[in-house]
Amino acid sequence: MKILALDSSGLVASVALSEDNNLIAEYTIQYKKTHSQTLLPMLEEIRNMVELDLSTVDAIAVAAGPGSFTGLRIGSATAKGLAFAMEKPIVPVPTLEGLAYQMYGTDAVVCPIMDARRSQVYTGVYEFVPAAGQPGSETAALSGRDGLGSGEYGYDMHVIKEQCAVFFDEIAGELNRIGRKVVFVGDGIPVFQERMKEVMQVPYLLAPAHRNRQSAACIAALGSVYYAKGRSVDGDKFVPEYLRLSQAERERAQELLKITYRRMTPEDVPFISKLEEETFSMPWSANDFMEMISKDDARYYVAEKDGRLLGGCGVLFAVDEGNITNVVIAPDARNQGIGTGMLRHLMKESEQEGIRAFTLEVRVSNAAAIHVYEKLGFVSEGIRPGFYEKPDEDAMILWKR
């Protein structure tokens, strides 16, 4: 089996050729030029060096995403063009699985992290377990995971957490709950290395330079396995997996949302209190909200689109300080910047009334909310032990002064 592989999902451009589990050639570079300038010349160099007859290639494996939007589109267009010209299938290999395969055989869980900007990472969690017939294979059989790697060399790669786009603290919390040694790999390491020291509670290692970036050799290796399992598509059916919208698409979506923010009224309370009940283990009641919106020293707001409520928040004043007491967003309106916009509105309105500082409490495990508050300028100034119930948990005290 002969596999031609491409990876342009990150800063690295990489092309490789494998045949029957032998790596024939690999050309990898990370230096200045864009993938549109490097990918095809690299392929041509390999073709010339190994006297490759492209008609003998069985399939084209390509890093299918997530990753750089531009890089993925270039890799996708190149793979599709080759597939049409050569009349060969494409084998999509998820980018994070290709990165994790760099750590083949490790007894640690593998966590690839690619910098996704906006304080997020593209990530997943993987493990290598003995393949069927190998010592320890009973553990693999009992794990219930899908095998991703070839068992010929003794191990299968299993998915613990599917690839996703999340804040780093969220994946760190997942790794801490798994409770095993971790090896990180990917271009997110230098971006989040200092944060790792603060939030990781289990032992972890960082992949060395020759193993911590994308490699078309790994895409070829996994591509061979997937092709043998029938996981290939025609060129016209291949689509990269971006996992999230591009920045331009996100900004356009926000523009189209036409969100408005206004003071909460008694008519809004039933919806907001029901949303609290569905979201939190210690929700405020409708009576609580009715009491607060009637106070002279409290301000409560809602987010609304086309007459539909999307969420609410509130602040209680004390001299020139504001204690933000509630922030709740409807499930289908989350991760769209609505909570951030609502809090910006609350703080702007409060500042016009003389409020100069804001404080709030948040569960220490709520990484997504903490990220939003930090983006708004809040910083941690302490912990309230056992502040929350159901489950019992400490609260992080945040201030914006």
Side-chain angles (χ1 to χ4, degrees):
M1 182 192 307
K2 191 177 289 185
I3 300 292
L4 180 64
L6 312 171
D7 194 330
S8 58
S9 59
L11 298 174
V12 170
S14 187
V15 180
L17 177 69
S18 71
E19 183 174 11
D20 297 333
N21 291 317
N22 293 311
L23 180 64
I24 306 302
E26 182 181 23
Y27 193 157
T28 297
I29 191 168
Q30 181 182 328
Y31 186 72
K32 293 184 178 179
K33 291 183 180 179
T34 64
H35 299 326
S36 61
Q37 296 173 292
T38 56
L39 215 55
L40 284 174
M42 291 163 64
L43 172 59
E44 182 66 12
E45 184 70 15
I46 284 180
R47 190 183 73 83
N48 291 333
M49 291 293 290
V50 303
E51 300 176 336
L52 172 65
D53 179 355
L54 289 174
S55 67
T56 64
V57 170
D58 292 293
I60 301 154
V62 61
S68 157
F69 287 88
T70 302
L72 289 175
R73 286 166 181 154
I74 292 169
S76 172
T78 303
K80 288 164 80 77
L82 290 169
F84 291 141
M86 298 161 55
E87 298 183 340
K88 303 295 181 181
I90 289 177
V91 183
V93 178
T95 304
L96 279 304
E97 292 178 14
L99 268 171
Y101 211 59
Q102 294 270 30
M103 297 292 110
Y104 181 90
T106 179
D107 61 350
V109 296
V110 183
C111 181
I113 52 172
M114 296 174 62
D115 183 15
R117 311 298 181 188
R118 302 167 68 91
S119 299
Q120 289 190 322
V121 290
Y122 296 123
T123 189
V125 184
Y126 306 87
E127 65 178 344
F128 291 94
V129 298
Q134 298 291 331
S137 60
E138 295 81 3
T139 302
L142 290 171
S143 70
R145 307 290 185 181
D146 291 331
L148 300 178
S150 170
E152 288 188 47
Y153 297 105
Y155 292 93
D156 283 332
M157 187 171 75
H158 291 176
V159 177
I160 296 176
K161 183 178 179 64
E162 296 283 356
Q163 59 181 23
C164 55
V166 297
F167 297 114
F168 177 77
D169 283 17
E170 184 173 335
I171 194 64
E174 182 75 16
L175 293 168
N176 289 335
R177 284 189 289 274
I178 292 170
R180 292 169 55 188
K181 181 175 65 178
V182 180
V183 56
F184 288 105
V185 56
D187 62 25
I189 289 175
V191 180
F192 295 96
Q193 190 168 353
E194 291 304 312
R195 186 59 178 163
M196 290 177 191
K197 297 175 184 177
E198 299 173 0
V199 299
M200 290 300 298
Q201 299 171 6
V202 295
Y204 66 90
L205 303 170
L206 307 179
H210 67 294
R211 302 283 292 276
N212 70 2
R213 292 293 187 273
Q214 285 87 344
S215 163
C218 284
I219 300 299
L222 276 176
S224 298
V225 176
Y226 296 169
Y227 182 63
K229 292 182 176 181
R231 292 174 55 176
S232 61
V233 296
D234 293 337
D236 60 344
K237 293 183 172 61
F238 170 66
V239 179
E241 184 178 3
Y242 297 110
L243 285 189
R244 69 178 193 182
L245 298 175
S246 69
Q247 182 174 348
E249 290 168 323
R250 289 194 301 269
E251 291 174 352
R252 178 59 176 163
Q254 278 293 300
E255 181 180 332
L256 293 174
L257 281 175
K258 297 180 181 178
I259 305 297
T260 59
Y261 306 103
R262 60 171 175 79
R263 290 282 292 273
M264 189 181 297
T265 68
E267 289 74 21
D268 302 323
V269 167
F271 176 86
I272 297 298
S273 62
K274 186 173 186 297
L275 190 56
E276 276 256 334
E277 184 178 344
E278 294 171 348
T279 304
F280 301 118
S281 61
M282 300 170 61
W284 277 29
S285 68
N287 288 336
D288 293 329
F289 281 105
M290 291 296 287
E291 179 183 351
M292 295 302 288
I293 65 174
S294 66
K295 285 179 172 289
D296 292 335
D297 57 353
R299 300 290 182 270
Y300 279 70
Y301 300 90
V302 295
E304 185 177 52
K305 178 182 183 291
D306 298 331
R308 184 206 163 195
L309 294 180
L310 302 175
C313 63
V315 59
L316 184 63
F317 297 158
V319 191
D320 62 349
E321 296 177 351
N323 179 20
I324 297 175
T325 58
N326 305 76
V327 182
V328 63
I329 304 294
D332 62 349
R334 293 168 189 165
N335 301 314
Q336 299 178 36
I338 295 170
T340 302
M342 190 166 58
L343 283 168
R344 289 190 193 279
H345 180 81
L346 175 151
M347 289 190 292
K348 180 179 178 182
E349 293 290 308
S350 299
E351 287 168 353
Q352 292 178 357
E353 297 192 56
I355 301 303
R356 297 291 174 260
F358 297 89
T359 186
L360 57 86
E361 292 94 5
V362 60
R363 285 183 181 269
V364 293
S365 63
N366 195 344
I370 291 170
H371 170 75
V372 170
Y373 298 138
E374 288 177 340
K375 186 167 63 174
L376 290 168
F378 285 82
V379 296
S380 175
E381 294 194 9
I383 297 291
R384 294 193 195 280
F387 183 79
Y388 290 104
E389 300 175 359
K390 302 177 185 179
D392 294 342
E393 190 172 4
D394 297 344
M396 182 181 294
I397 307 167
L398 298 174
W399 277 91
K400 177 179 170 63
R401 300 182 187 277

